[in-house]
Amino acid sequence: MRLEAMAVKIPQVDGHPNRVAFEGVLTMVNTASDKAPAGARGHRVLLTHAAAEKALPSLLGMAVDYRPSWDGHDARRKIGLLTEADLVGERLMVRGYLYARDFPEVAGAIQAQKPESMG
């Protein structure tokens, strides 16, 4: 297994009401998408390991956004910040913070989907 990682160091602030840590899989590398993502003009896509590795620095500091229907992105609904991006095998993992006090219903829905193994 090969591991590549990059992070922005943000000071830990215990109990901060608007900063809730999260982690998840952004996408799989070297695997074709199940369906065409937005902007792909109906085509499925494949992100190569080399392209993902090259893109890691561009993810740091980017906003986390969402759509209420959970089926895409809405650039006007910024609910968090990416602080880490790692390639773990075929998974492009991201970590960061959600603005939980500003968006309690979204943070709650995301936390409810967290697998038991992630504690």
Side-chain angles (χ1 to χ4, degrees):
M1 173 172 66
R2 184 174 178 203
L3 175 68
E4 299 285 334
M6 189 167 282
V8 172
K9 290 292 183 189
I10 295 181
Q12 178 69 25
V13 180
D14 292 330
H16 192 293
N18 205 29
R19 191 190 296 177
V20 172
F22 81 92
E23 69 175 1
V25 178
L26 179 63
T27 191
M28 300 298 289
V29 298
N30 294 328
T31 303
S33 60
D34 294 335
K35 60 182 182 175
R41 292 184 228 131
H43 299 281
R44 292 173 53 195
V45 298
L46 183 136
L47 177 63
T48 65
H49 191 280
E53 188 173 42
K54 186 177 180 181
L56 285 177
S58 72
L59 295 173
L60 301 181
M62 294 303 294
V64 176
D65 60 43
Y66 89 107
R67 283 175 48 177
S69 58
W70 299 100
D71 63 349
H73 299 278
D74 184 340
R76 294 179 182 262
R77 286 193 168 103
K78 310 285 192 217
I79 62 165
L81 176 73
L82 294 180
T83 60
E84 296 181 48
D86 310 318
L87 280 171
V88 180
E90 300 300 305
R91 297 176 298 162
L92 197 160
M93 301 291 298
V94 292
R95 289 176 195 82
Y97 296 99
L98 300 175
Y99 305 132
R101 189 171 194 171
D102 294 342
F103 302 95
E105 68 288 344
V106 178
I110 291 170
Q111 290 295 320
Q113 295 178 28
K114 182 169 58 171
E116 289 295 321
S117 63
M118 294 178 79

